[in-house]
Every structure is written in C-alpha cells, then in structure tokens.
Amino acid sequence: MMMMKNPIILVACALLFSSLAVLASQNIFGPDKCCFAFISQPLPKKKVMSYKYTDQLCPMDGVLFTMLSAREICADPSVVWVKKIIEAKDRVQAKKVNSSVSKETN
C-alpha cells in the first residue's frame, strides 16, 4: 500500500506545479493594459498628468492618459487633440529635465 501513495503524490504535485506555471505565464506574456474604445471629446490639458502608449501586442494603438484623479482614459493617438496634449506634456517634461540639468552644472 505504501508504494501506491508515492506515485499519486508525485502526480498530484506535478499537476499542481504545471497549473501554477500556466497561470504565471499568462501574466508575463500579455500586455498590461489595452484600449478597446476611445474617448471622443477632447480632454483638458491641465487635468492630464501623464500619458503612455499601449503595448504593441494590443489589438489597437492607443494612448492612456492619466488624469489628476488617477483615472486612466484611452484616446486615439492619430487624433489632433491627442497629439497636442502629448506635445504639451513632452514640452513640460523637457523643461523639467533642462532645469534640473542646469541646476546640477551650477
């Protein structure tokens, strides 16, 4: 009877390990966030804290705007108002970098 328990325990452990490996691999290979619908009306630039592009593995290209309220909103990166917000945020970021570099050199 003792011989039967060892293979059963071994098979049970192997099944448990393989199911955990499958669950872990699903999170590793997929994108964090994707956009499936876009906001149509322009967002106020002052309320947008930051932006990031969605992963290339997503079915649609998108931009995730993080608002002051910490809410994330999807927008179409080809729309003019979206491009303007991105340019404005890039300019602000460049100014911050330039001012910190000039402070370090003084």
Side-chain angles (χ1 to χ4, degrees):
M1 196 63 145
M2 192 65 162
M3 295 294 254
M4 290 291 271
K5 288 184 182 179
N6 288 338
I8 292 172
I9 293 172
L10 181 64
V11 169
C13 289
L15 286 174
L16 179 64
F17 178 72
S18 64
S19 64
L20 289 175
V22 168
L23 288 174
S25 69
Q26 288 175 348
N27 292 335
I28 293 172
F29 297 112
D32 288 336
K33 293 187 180 179
C34 293
C35 292
F36 297 101
F38 299 130
I39 190 167
S40 57
Q41 71 261 17
L43 297 170
K45 287 181 194 175
K46 293 179 181 179
K47 293 190 177 184
V48 176
M49 291 291 295
S50 63
Y51 75 92
K52 64 181 175 182
Y53 289 97
T54 56
D55 195 288
Q56 291 180 343
L57 296 175
C58 293
M60 299 186 325
D61 291 337
V63 175
L64 276 166
F65 287 120
T66 303
M67 308 303 287
L68 285 173
S69 63
R71 184 175 164 209
E72 289 186 326
I73 299 175
C74 286
D76 184 349
S78 65
V79 177
V80 174
W81 67 264
V82 174
K83 291 178 182 179
K84 287 183 178 181
I85 291 176
I86 291 171
E87 289 170 3
K89 293 299 162 189
D90 287 345
R91 280 194 303 273
V92 168
Q93 186 64 29
K95 284 181 184 178
K96 287 180 182 177
V97 170
N98 287 340
S99 66
S100 67
V101 169
S102 65
K103 288 178 183 177
E104 290 176 5
T105 57
N106 289 335

PDB file of all heavy atoms in Angstrom, residues 17-55:
ATOM      1  N   PHE A  17       2.027  21.956  -9.878  1.00  0.00           N
ATOM      2  CA  PHE A  17       3.114  22.798 -10.385  1.00  0.00           C
ATOM      3  C   PHE A  17       2.835  23.265 -11.813  1.00  0.00           C
ATOM      4  O   PHE A  17       3.044  24.425 -12.149  1.00  0.00           O
ATOM      5  CB  PHE A  17       4.444  22.051 -10.319  1.00  0.00           C
ATOM      6  CG  PHE A  17       5.591  22.851 -10.861  1.00  0.00           C
ATOM      7  CD1 PHE A  17       6.090  23.933 -10.152  1.00  0.00           C
ATOM      8  CD2 PHE A  17       6.151  22.555 -12.090  1.00  0.00           C
ATOM      9  CE1 PHE A  17       7.140  24.690 -10.650  1.00  0.00           C
ATOM     10  CE2 PHE A  17       7.184  23.310 -12.597  1.00  0.00           C
ATOM     11  CZ  PHE A  17       7.688  24.380 -11.881  1.00  0.00           C
ATOM     12  N   SER A  18       2.378  22.372 -12.678  1.00  0.00           N
ATOM     13  CA  SER A  18       2.125  22.755 -14.074  1.00  0.00           C
ATOM     14  C   SER A  18       0.984  23.760 -14.177  1.00  0.00           C
ATOM     15  O   SER A  18       1.033  24.675 -14.994  1.00  0.00           O
ATOM     16  CB  SER A  18       1.846  21.518 -14.927  1.00  0.00           C
ATOM     17  OG  SER A  18       0.660  20.876 -14.488  1.00  0.00           O
ATOM     18  N   SER A  19      -0.054  23.632 -13.352  1.00  0.00           N
ATOM     19  CA  SER A  19      -1.146  24.606 -13.398  1.00  0.00           C
ATOM     20  C   SER A  19      -0.683  25.972 -12.903  1.00  0.00           C
ATOM     21  O   SER A  19      -1.081  27.004 -13.445  1.00  0.00           O
ATOM     22  CB  SER A  19      -2.348  24.111 -12.595  1.00  0.00           C
ATOM     23  OG  SER A  19      -2.010  23.993 -11.232  1.00  0.00           O
ATOM     24  N   LEU A  20       0.177  26.006 -11.900  1.00  0.00           N
ATOM     25  CA  LEU A  20       0.728  27.279 -11.430  1.00  0.00           C
ATOM     26  C   LEU A  20       1.622  27.921 -12.491  1.00  0.00           C
ATOM     27  O   LEU A  20       1.619  29.133 -12.664  1.00  0.00           O
ATOM     28  CB  LEU A  20       1.505  27.075 -10.129  1.00  0.00           C
ATOM     29  CG  LEU A  20       0.671  26.761  -8.889  1.00  0.00           C
ATOM     30  CD1 LEU A  20       1.587  26.466  -7.711  1.00  0.00           C
ATOM     31  CD2 LEU A  20      -0.259  27.908  -8.568  1.00  0.00           C
ATOM     32  N   ALA A  21       2.380  27.107 -13.194  1.00  0.00           N
ATOM     33  CA  ALA A  21       3.251  27.628 -14.256  1.00  0.00           C
ATOM     34  C   ALA A  21       2.431  28.231 -15.381  1.00  0.00           C
ATOM     35  O   ALA A  21       2.782  29.281 -15.933  1.00  0.00           O
ATOM     36  CB  ALA A  21       4.152  26.513 -14.776  1.00  0.00           C
ATOM     37  N   VAL A  22       1.327  27.612 -15.738  1.00  0.00           N
ATOM     38  CA  VAL A  22       0.454  28.143 -16.795  1.00  0.00           C
ATOM     39  C   VAL A  22      -0.150  29.466 -16.357  1.00  0.00           C
ATOM     40  O   VAL A  22      -0.186  30.427 -17.126  1.00  0.00           O
ATOM     41  CB  VAL A  22      -0.641  27.115 -17.162  1.00  0.00           C
ATOM     42  CG1 VAL A  22      -1.709  27.745 -18.035  1.00  0.00           C
ATOM     43  CG2 VAL A  22      -0.035  25.919 -17.855  1.00  0.00           C
ATOM     44  N   LEU A  23      -0.626  29.558 -15.140  1.00  0.00           N
ATOM     45  CA  LEU A  23      -1.207  30.806 -14.640  1.00  0.00           C
ATOM     46  C   LEU A  23      -0.176  31.927 -14.610  1.00  0.00           C
ATOM     47  O   LEU A  23      -0.470  33.060 -14.971  1.00  0.00           O
ATOM     48  CB  LEU A  23      -1.792  30.598 -13.247  1.00  0.00           C
ATOM     49  CG  LEU A  23      -3.071  29.771 -13.169  1.00  0.00           C
ATOM     50  CD1 LEU A  23      -3.446  29.541 -11.712  1.00  0.00           C
ATOM     51  CD2 LEU A  23      -4.197  30.453 -13.898  1.00  0.00           C
ATOM     52  N   ALA A  24       1.022  31.630 -14.201  1.00  0.00           N
ATOM     53  CA  ALA A  24       2.073  32.648 -14.132  1.00  0.00           C
ATOM     54  C   ALA A  24       2.482  33.104 -15.520  1.00  0.00           C
ATOM     55  O   ALA A  24       2.734  34.289 -15.746  1.00  0.00           O
ATOM     56  CB  ALA A  24       3.280  32.105 -13.377  1.00  0.00           C
ATOM     57  N   SER A  25       2.553  32.211 -16.478  1.00  0.00           N
ATOM     58  CA  SER A  25       2.994  32.584 -17.822  1.00  0.00           C
ATOM     59  C   SER A  25       1.967  33.439 -18.540  1.00  0.00           C
ATOM     60  O   SER A  25       2.317  34.233 -19.397  1.00  0.00           O
ATOM     61  CB  SER A  25       3.308  31.336 -18.643  1.00  0.00           C
ATOM     62  OG  SER A  25       2.116  30.622 -18.931  1.00  0.00           O
ATOM     63  N   GLN A  26       0.712  33.345 -18.199  1.00  0.00           N
ATOM     64  CA  GLN A  26      -0.301  34.177 -18.838  1.00  0.00           C
ATOM     65  C   GLN A  26      -0.089  35.641 -18.511  1.00  0.00           C
ATOM     66  O   GLN A  26      -0.305  36.506 -19.343  1.00  0.00           O
ATOM     67  CB  GLN A  26      -1.693  33.732 -18.394  1.00  0.00           C
ATOM     68  CG  GLN A  26      -2.116  32.416 -18.987  1.00  0.00           C
ATOM     69  CD  GLN A  26      -3.454  31.937 -18.438  1.00  0.00           C
ATOM     70  OE1 GLN A  26      -3.960  32.475 -17.459  1.00  0.00           O
ATOM     71  NE2 GLN A  26      -4.004  30.913 -19.053  1.00  0.00           N
ATOM     72  N   ASN A  27       0.350  35.950 -17.325  1.00  0.00           N
ATOM     73  CA  ASN A  27       0.576  37.334 -16.933  1.00  0.00           C
ATOM     74  C   ASN A  27       1.872  37.892 -17.491  1.00  0.00           C
ATOM     75  O   ASN A  27       2.001  39.076 -17.683  1.00  0.00           O
ATOM     76  CB  ASN A  27       0.585  37.452 -15.411  1.00  0.00           C
ATOM     77  CG  ASN A  27      -0.779  37.179 -14.824  1.00  0.00           C
ATOM     78  OD1 ASN A  27      -1.784  37.349 -15.494  1.00  0.00           O
ATOM     79  ND2 ASN A  27      -0.802  36.737 -13.581  1.00  0.00           N
ATOM     80  N   ILE A  28       2.842  37.059 -17.761  1.00  0.00           N
ATOM     81  CA  ILE A  28       4.140  37.516 -18.223  1.00  0.00           C
ATOM     82  C   ILE A  28       4.089  37.967 -19.684  1.00  0.00           C
ATOM     83  O   ILE A  28       4.664  38.971 -20.048  1.00  0.00           O
ATOM     84  CB  ILE A  28       5.191  36.401 -18.044  1.00  0.00           C
ATOM     85  CG1 ILE A  28       5.430  36.141 -16.563  1.00  0.00           C
ATOM     86  CG2 ILE A  28       6.491  36.760 -18.730  1.00  0.00           C
ATOM     87  CD1 ILE A  28       6.289  34.933 -16.284  1.00  0.00           C
ATOM     88  N   PHE A  29       3.376  37.246 -20.517  1.00  0.00           N
ATOM     89  CA  PHE A  29       3.455  37.473 -21.951  1.00  0.00           C
ATOM     90  C   PHE A  29       2.404  38.436 -22.500  1.00  0.00           C
ATOM     91  O   PHE A  29       2.514  38.869 -23.628  1.00  0.00           O
ATOM     92  CB  PHE A  29       3.373  36.140 -22.696  1.00  0.00           C
ATOM     93  CG  PHE A  29       4.523  35.231 -22.366  1.00  0.00           C
ATOM     94  CD1 PHE A  29       4.324  34.072 -21.661  1.00  0.00           C
ATOM     95  CD2 PHE A  29       5.810  35.562 -22.738  1.00  0.00           C
ATOM     96  CE1 PHE A  29       5.379  33.234 -21.346  1.00  0.00           C
ATOM     97  CE2 PHE A  29       6.880  34.747 -22.423  1.00  0.00           C
ATOM     98  CZ  PHE A  29       6.666  33.580 -21.727  1.00  0.00           C
ATOM     99  N   GLY A  30       1.404  38.779 -21.747  1.00  0.00           N
ATOM    100  CA  GLY A  30       0.364  39.681 -22.239  1.00  0.00           C
ATOM    101  C   GLY A  30       0.654  41.119 -21.869  1.00  0.00           C
ATOM    102  O   GLY A  30       1.378  41.401 -20.927  1.00  0.00           O
ATOM    103  N   PRO A  31       0.074  42.055 -22.608  1.00  0.00           N
ATOM    104  CA  PRO A  31       0.251  43.471 -22.272  1.00  0.00           C
ATOM    105  C   PRO A  31      -0.482  43.818 -20.974  1.00  0.00           C
ATOM    106  O   PRO A  31      -1.455  43.166 -20.597  1.00  0.00           O
ATOM    107  CB  PRO A  31      -0.361  44.199 -23.463  1.00  0.00           C
ATOM    108  CG  PRO A  31      -1.165  43.202 -24.205  1.00  0.00           C
ATOM    109  CD  PRO A  31      -0.688  41.843 -23.815  1.00  0.00           C
ATOM    110  N   ASP A  32       0.008  44.862 -20.304  1.00  0.00           N
ATOM    111  CA  ASP A  32      -0.618  45.298 -19.057  1.00  0.00           C
ATOM    112  C   ASP A  32      -2.019  45.854 -19.305  1.00  0.00           C
ATOM    113  O   ASP A  32      -2.971  45.440 -18.675  1.00  0.00           O
ATOM    114  CB  ASP A  32       0.224  46.364 -18.363  1.00  0.00           C
ATOM    115  CG  ASP A  32       1.491  45.791 -17.773  1.00  0.00           C
ATOM    116  OD1 ASP A  32       1.527  44.582 -17.491  1.00  0.00           O
ATOM    117  OD2 ASP A  32       2.445  46.561 -17.603  1.00  0.00           O
ATOM    118  N   LYS A  33      -2.110  46.828 -20.197  1.00  0.00           N
ATOM    119  CA  LYS A  33      -3.398  47.459 -20.487  1.00  0.00           C
ATOM    120  C   LYS A  33      -3.516  47.725 -21.974  1.00  0.00           C
ATOM    121  O   LYS A  33      -2.563  48.148 -22.618  1.00  0.00           O
ATOM    122  CB  LYS A  33      -3.540  48.760 -19.724  1.00  0.00           C
ATOM    123  CG  LYS A  33      -3.634  48.572 -18.238  1.00  0.00           C
ATOM    124  CD  LYS A  33      -3.932  49.858 -17.536  1.00  0.00           C
ATOM    125  CE  LYS A  33      -4.004  49.595 -16.052  1.00  0.00           C
ATOM    126  NZ  LYS A  33      -4.265  50.802 -15.294  1.00  0.00           N
ATOM    127  N   CYS A  34      -4.703  47.510 -22.492  1.00  0.00           N
ATOM    128  CA  CYS A  34      -5.013  47.801 -23.889  1.00  0.00           C
ATOM    129  C   CYS A  34      -6.247  48.686 -23.946  1.00  0.00           C
ATOM    130  O   CYS A  34      -7.067  48.681 -23.029  1.00  0.00           O
ATOM    131  CB  CYS A  34      -5.288  46.515 -24.672  1.00  0.00           C
ATOM    132  SG  CYS A  34      -3.863  45.445 -24.877  1.00  0.00           S
ATOM    133  N   CYS A  35      -6.385  49.434 -25.031  1.00  0.00           N
ATOM    134  CA  CYS A  35      -7.564  50.263 -25.258  1.00  0.00           C
ATOM    135  C   CYS A  35      -8.473  49.559 -26.264  1.00  0.00           C
ATOM    136  O   CYS A  35      -8.007  49.112 -27.309  1.00  0.00           O
ATOM    137  CB  CYS A  35      -7.156  51.628 -25.808  1.00  0.00           C
ATOM    138  SG  CYS A  35      -6.252  52.652 -24.636  1.00  0.00           S
ATOM    139  N   PHE A  36      -9.745  49.467 -25.925  1.00  0.00           N
ATOM    140  CA  PHE A  36     -10.716  48.859 -26.832  1.00  0.00           C
ATOM    141  C   PHE A  36     -11.767  49.865 -27.275  1.00  0.00           C
ATOM    142  O   PHE A  36     -12.542  49.604 -28.189  1.00  0.00           O
ATOM    143  CB  PHE A  36     -11.376  47.656 -26.161  1.00  0.00           C
ATOM    144  CG  PHE A  36     -10.385  46.572 -25.843  1.00  0.00           C
ATOM    145  CD1 PHE A  36      -9.896  46.406 -24.565  1.00  0.00           C
ATOM    146  CD2 PHE A  36      -9.910  45.740 -26.849  1.00  0.00           C
ATOM    147  CE1 PHE A  36      -8.972  45.414 -24.284  1.00  0.00           C
ATOM    148  CE2 PHE A  36      -8.981  44.753 -26.578  1.00  0.00           C
ATOM    149  CZ  PHE A  36      -8.515  44.581 -25.290  1.00  0.00           C
ATOM    150  N   ALA A  37     -11.784  51.024 -26.632  1.00  0.00           N
ATOM    151  CA  ALA A  37     -12.670  52.125 -27.011  1.00  0.00           C
ATOM    152  C   ALA A  37     -11.959  53.425 -26.645  1.00  0.00           C
ATOM    153  O   ALA A  37     -11.194  53.475 -25.684  1.00  0.00           O
ATOM    154  CB  ALA A  37     -13.998  52.021 -26.271  1.00  0.00           C
ATOM    155  N   PHE A  38     -12.214  54.453 -27.433  1.00  0.00           N
ATOM    156  CA  PHE A  38     -11.543  55.735 -27.228  1.00  0.00           C
ATOM    157  C   PHE A  38     -12.547  56.814 -26.845  1.00  0.00           C
ATOM    158  O   PHE A  38     -13.686  56.813 -27.309  1.00  0.00           O
ATOM    159  CB  PHE A  38     -10.809  56.179 -28.503  1.00  0.00           C
ATOM    160  CG  PHE A  38      -9.736  55.237 -28.954  1.00  0.00           C
ATOM    161  CD1 PHE A  38      -9.691  54.796 -30.257  1.00  0.00           C
ATOM    162  CD2 PHE A  38      -8.756  54.801 -28.080  1.00  0.00           C
ATOM    163  CE1 PHE A  38      -8.694  53.942 -30.691  1.00  0.00           C
ATOM    164  CE2 PHE A  38      -7.748  53.937 -28.497  1.00  0.00           C
ATOM    165  CZ  PHE A  38      -7.731  53.510 -29.805  1.00  0.00           C
ATOM    166  N   ILE A  39     -12.078  57.758 -26.037  1.00  0.00           N
ATOM    167  CA  ILE A  39     -12.896  58.921 -25.707  1.00  0.00           C
ATOM    168  C   ILE A  39     -12.960  59.803 -26.948  1.00  0.00           C
ATOM    169  O   ILE A  39     -11.979  59.930 -27.678  1.00  0.00           O
ATOM    170  CB  ILE A  39     -12.325  59.680 -24.484  1.00  0.00           C
ATOM    171  CG1 ILE A  39     -13.303  60.735 -24.013  1.00  0.00           C
ATOM    172  CG2 ILE A  39     -10.961  60.268 -24.796  1.00  0.00           C
ATOM    173  CD1 ILE A  39     -12.969  61.298 -22.650  1.00  0.00           C
ATOM    174  N   SER A  40     -14.116  60.400 -27.194  1.00  0.00           N
ATOM    175  CA  SER A  40     -14.265  61.193 -28.422  1.00  0.00           C
ATOM    176  C   SER A  40     -14.052  62.680 -28.181  1.00  0.00           C
ATOM    177  O   SER A  40     -13.520  63.381 -29.051  1.00  0.00           O
ATOM    178  CB  SER A  40     -15.644  60.952 -29.039  1.00  0.00           C
ATOM    179  OG  SER A  40     -16.658  61.254 -28.095  1.00  0.00           O
ATOM    180  N   GLN A  41     -14.455  63.193 -27.025  1.00  0.00           N
ATOM    181  CA  GLN A  41     -14.298  64.630 -26.784  1.00  0.00           C
ATOM    182  C   GLN A  41     -12.910  64.926 -26.225  1.00  0.00           C
ATOM    183  O   GLN A  41     -12.352  64.106 -25.502  1.00  0.00           O
ATOM    184  CB  GLN A  41     -15.400  65.165 -25.860  1.00  0.00           C
ATOM    185  CG  GLN A  41     -15.303  64.728 -24.423  1.00  0.00           C
ATOM    186  CD  GLN A  41     -16.203  63.575 -24.082  1.00  0.00           C
ATOM    187  OE1 GLN A  41     -16.686  62.868 -24.949  1.00  0.00           O
ATOM    188  NE2 GLN A  41     -16.405  63.362 -22.790  1.00  0.00           N
ATOM    189  N   PRO A  42     -12.379  66.086 -26.543  1.00  0.00           N
ATOM    190  CA  PRO A  42     -11.044  66.456 -26.053  1.00  0.00           C
ATOM    191  C   PRO A  42     -11.000  66.559 -24.531  1.00  0.00           C
ATOM    192  O   PRO A  42     -11.963  66.957 -23.887  1.00  0.00           O
ATOM    193  CB  PRO A  42     -10.794  67.821 -26.685  1.00  0.00           C
ATOM    194  CG  PRO A  42     -11.718  67.888 -27.846  1.00  0.00           C
ATOM    195  CD  PRO A  42     -12.908  67.072 -27.476  1.00  0.00           C
ATOM    196  N   LEU A  43      -9.868  66.201 -23.977  1.00  0.00           N
ATOM    197  CA  LEU A  43      -9.637  66.307 -22.537  1.00  0.00           C
ATOM    198  C   LEU A  43      -8.957  67.636 -22.232  1.00  0.00           C
ATOM    199  O   LEU A  43      -8.175  68.137 -23.045  1.00  0.00           O
ATOM    200  CB  LEU A  43      -8.731  65.168 -22.064  1.00  0.00           C
ATOM    201  CG  LEU A  43      -9.270  63.758 -22.228  1.00  0.00           C
ATOM    202  CD1 LEU A  43      -8.170  62.737 -21.936  1.00  0.00           C
ATOM    203  CD2 LEU A  43     -10.449  63.536 -21.319  1.00  0.00           C
ATOM    204  N   PRO A  44      -9.209  68.222 -21.069  1.00  0.00           N
ATOM    205  CA  PRO A  44      -8.498  69.453 -20.697  1.00  0.00           C
ATOM    206  C   PRO A  44      -7.027  69.141 -20.377  1.00  0.00           C
ATOM    207  O   PRO A  44      -6.739  68.262 -19.565  1.00  0.00           O
ATOM    208  CB  PRO A  44      -9.249  69.944 -19.453  1.00  0.00           C
ATOM    209  CG  PRO A  44     -10.032  68.779 -18.968  1.00  0.00           C
ATOM    210  CD  PRO A  44     -10.229  67.844 -20.103  1.00  0.00           C
ATOM    211  N   LYS A  45      -6.116  69.854 -21.032  1.00  0.00           N
ATOM    212  CA  LYS A  45      -4.677  69.612 -20.849  1.00  0.00           C
ATOM    213  C   LYS A  45      -4.254  69.722 -19.396  1.00  0.00           C
ATOM    214  O   LYS A  45      -3.397  68.974 -18.929  1.00  0.00           O
ATOM    215  CB  LYS A  45      -3.858  70.613 -21.678  1.00  0.00           C
ATOM    216  CG  LYS A  45      -3.872  70.373 -23.143  1.00  0.00           C
ATOM    217  CD  LYS A  45      -3.012  71.411 -23.845  1.00  0.00           C
ATOM    218  CE  LYS A  45      -3.288  71.392 -25.327  1.00  0.00           C
ATOM    219  NZ  LYS A  45      -2.557  72.458 -26.020  1.00  0.00           N
ATOM    220  N   LYS A  46      -4.847  70.652 -18.674  1.00  0.00           N
ATOM    221  CA  LYS A  46      -4.453  70.902 -17.282  1.00  0.00           C
ATOM    222  C   LYS A  46      -4.769  69.718 -16.373  1.00  0.00           C
ATOM    223  O   LYS A  46      -4.152  69.561 -15.326  1.00  0.00           O
ATOM    224  CB  LYS A  46      -5.149  72.147 -16.749  1.00  0.00           C
ATOM    225  CG  LYS A  46      -4.694  73.418 -17.414  1.00  0.00           C
ATOM    226  CD  LYS A  46      -5.432  74.608 -16.864  1.00  0.00           C
ATOM    227  CE  LYS A  46      -4.987  75.878 -17.568  1.00  0.00           C
ATOM    228  NZ  LYS A  46      -5.689  77.056 -17.071  1.00  0.00           N
ATOM    229  N   LYS A  47      -5.731  68.895 -16.753  1.00  0.00           N
ATOM    230  CA  LYS A  47      -6.123  67.764 -15.903  1.00  0.00           C
ATOM    231  C   LYS A  47      -5.387  66.479 -16.268  1.00  0.00           C
ATOM    232  O   LYS A  47      -5.537  65.475 -15.585  1.00  0.00           O
ATOM    233  CB  LYS A  47      -7.627  67.550 -15.975  1.00  0.00           C
ATOM    234  CG  LYS A  47      -8.400  68.698 -15.339  1.00  0.00           C
ATOM    235  CD  LYS A  47      -9.841  68.375 -15.192  1.00  0.00           C
ATOM    236  CE  LYS A  47     -10.542  69.518 -14.485  1.00  0.00           C
ATOM    237  NZ  LYS A  47     -11.955  69.217 -14.232  1.00  0.00           N
ATOM    238  N   VAL A  48      -4.591  66.519 -17.331  1.00  0.00           N
ATOM    239  CA  VAL A  48      -3.822  65.336 -17.735  1.00  0.00           C
ATOM    240  C   VAL A  48      -2.469  65.387 -17.032  1.00  0.00           C
ATOM    241  O   VAL A  48      -1.707  66.328 -17.208  1.00  0.00           O
ATOM    242  CB  VAL A  48      -3.632  65.287 -19.271  1.00  0.00           C
ATOM    243  CG1 VAL A  48      -2.749  64.118 -19.654  1.00  0.00           C
ATOM    244  CG2 VAL A  48      -4.979  65.196 -19.973  1.00  0.00           C
ATOM    245  N   MET A  49      -2.196  64.362 -16.225  1.00  0.00           N
ATOM    246  CA  MET A  49      -0.925  64.298 -15.502  1.00  0.00           C
ATOM    247  C   MET A  49       0.181  63.716 -16.383  1.00  0.00           C
ATOM    248  O   MET A  49       1.292  64.216 -16.408  1.00  0.00           O
ATOM    249  CB  MET A  49      -1.071  63.426 -14.255  1.00  0.00           C
ATOM    250  CG  MET A  49      -1.940  64.028 -13.190  1.00  0.00           C
ATOM    251  SD  MET A  49      -1.187  65.456 -12.437  1.00  0.00           S
ATOM    252  CE  MET A  49       0.208  64.705 -11.647  1.00  0.00           C
ATOM    253  N   SER A  50      -0.131  62.619 -17.074  1.00  0.00           N
ATOM    254  CA  SER A  50       0.878  61.948 -17.895  1.00  0.00           C
ATOM    255  C   SER A  50       0.176  61.108 -18.953  1.00  0.00           C
ATOM    256  O   SER A  50      -1.051  61.008 -18.977  1.00  0.00           O
ATOM    257  CB  SER A  50       1.767  61.059 -17.019  1.00  0.00           C
ATOM    258  OG  SER A  50       0.994  60.040 -16.416  1.00  0.00           O
ATOM    259  N   TYR A  51       0.996  60.517 -19.808  1.00  0.00           N
ATOM    260  CA  TYR A  51       0.459  59.638 -20.839  1.00  0.00           C
ATOM    261  C   TYR A  51       1.437  58.508 -21.087  1.00  0.00           C
ATOM    262  O   TYR A  51       2.617  58.594 -20.752  1.00  0.00           O
ATOM    263  CB  TYR A  51       0.199  60.399 -22.144  1.00  0.00           C
ATOM    264  CG  TYR A  51       1.455  60.729 -22.907  1.00  0.00           C
ATOM    265  CD1 TYR A  51       1.938  59.873 -23.890  1.00  0.00           C
ATOM    266  CD2 TYR A  51       2.189  61.887 -22.641  1.00  0.00           C
ATOM    267  CE1 TYR A  51       3.106  60.163 -24.578  1.00  0.00           C
ATOM    268  CE2 TYR A  51       3.346  62.185 -23.327  1.00  0.00           C
ATOM    269  CZ  TYR A  51       3.798  61.310 -24.292  1.00  0.00           C
ATOM    270  OH  TYR A  51       4.951  61.584 -24.980  1.00  0.00           O
ATOM    271  N   LYS A  52       0.928  57.444 -21.679  1.00  0.00           N
ATOM    272  CA  LYS A  52       1.786  56.362 -22.159  1.00  0.00           C
ATOM    273  C   LYS A  52       1.055  55.660 -23.292  1.00  0.00           C
ATOM    274  O   LYS A  52      -0.174  55.603 -23.330  1.00  0.00           O
ATOM    275  CB  LYS A  52       2.154  55.383 -21.045  1.00  0.00           C
ATOM    276  CG  LYS A  52       0.992  54.618 -20.453  1.00  0.00           C
ATOM    277  CD  LYS A  52       1.457  53.693 -19.353  1.00  0.00           C
ATOM    278  CE  LYS A  52       0.258  53.032 -18.683  1.00  0.00           C
ATOM    279  NZ  LYS A  52       0.639  52.173 -17.578  1.00  0.00           N
ATOM    280  N   TYR A  53       1.840  55.166 -24.222  1.00  0.00           N
ATOM    281  CA  TYR A  53       1.269  54.413 -25.338  1.00  0.00           C
ATOM    282  C   TYR A  53       0.993  52.984 -24.886  1.00  0.00           C
ATOM    283  O   TYR A  53       1.706  52.434 -24.051  1.00  0.00           O
ATOM    284  CB  TYR A  53       2.234  54.403 -26.530  1.00  0.00           C
ATOM    285  CG  TYR A  53       2.357  55.749 -27.208  1.00  0.00           C
ATOM    286  CD1 TYR A  53       3.405  56.605 -26.896  1.00  0.00           C
ATOM    287  CD2 TYR A  53       1.419  56.154 -28.141  1.00  0.00           C
ATOM    288  CE1 TYR A  53       3.518  57.842 -27.502  1.00  0.00           C
ATOM    289  CE2 TYR A  53       1.528  57.394 -28.757  1.00  0.00           C
ATOM    290  CZ  TYR A  53       2.573  58.226 -28.439  1.00  0.00           C
ATOM    291  OH  TYR A  53       2.682  59.451 -29.039  1.00  0.00           O
ATOM    292  N   THR A  54      -0.043  52.387 -25.460  1.00  0.00           N
ATOM    293  CA  THR A  54      -0.335  50.999 -25.137  1.00  0.00           C
ATOM    294  C   THR A  54       0.696  50.094 -25.802  1.00  0.00           C
ATOM    295  O   THR A  54       1.387  50.494 -26.742  1.00  0.00           O
ATOM    296  CB  THR A  54      -1.745  50.611 -25.607  1.00  0.00           C
ATOM    297  OG1 THR A  54      -1.874  50.864 -27.009  1.00  0.00           O
ATOM    298  CG2 THR A  54      -2.812  51.361 -24.836  1.00  0.00           C
ATOM    299  N   ASP A  55       0.784  48.887 -25.316  1.00  0.00           N
ATOM    300  CA  ASP A  55       1.737  47.895 -25.813  1.00  0.00           C
ATOM    301  C   ASP A  55       1.450  47.551 -27.276  1.00  0.00           C
ATOM    302  O   ASP A  55       0.296  47.580 -27.715  1.00  0.00           O
ATOM    303  CB  ASP A  55       1.638  46.633 -24.952  1.00  0.00           C
ATOM    304  CG  ASP A  55       2.804  45.704 -25.153  1.00  0.00           C
ATOM    305  OD1 ASP A  55       2.874  45.073 -26.229  1.00  0.00           O
ATOM    306  OD2 ASP A  55       3.641  45.597 -24.244  1.00  0.00           O
TER     307      ASP A  55
END
